[in-house]
Amino acid sequence: MDKNRIEGTKHEIKGGMKEAAGKVTGNHARELSGNVEKNAGKVQKEFGKANDQARKQQDR
């Protein structure tokens, strides 16, 4: 498993928590920051999946 998948998942979870905390406290900056981190984590995770796919194709 590509390390980007693991790191992306961590960022996605952390960002989701930040976003939720921002919503609860009414802190729009924290909410936005969490949303950005969550989406960046999703992109990183997809990049890791693509790397895994490329490795599988290369091994064939």
Side-chain angles (χ1 to χ4, degrees):
M1 180 182 285
D2 191 80
K3 71 176 184 168
N4 282 308
R5 289 177 78 175
I6 297 166
E7 290 298 317
T9 301
K10 286 196 298 189
H11 285 292
E12 197 173 343
I13 292 168
K14 185 178 170 188
M17 290 172 58
K18 269 187 187 178
E19 184 178 21
K23 283 181 183 178
V24 168
T25 61
N27 186 336
H28 297 293
R30 177 168 282 208
E31 184 179 348
L32 181 62
S33 172
N35 190 326
V36 168
E37 186 170 359
K38 180 176 72 173
N39 288 320
K42 286 180 182 182
V43 170
Q44 186 175 10
K45 187 167 67 171
E46 290 301 317
F47 181 73
K49 286 180 184 179
N51 281 342
D52 284 341
Q53 288 276 343
R55 270 193 221 103
K56 282 183 184 179
Q57 291 296 325
Q58 188 177 18
D59 290 343
R60 289 183 184 184

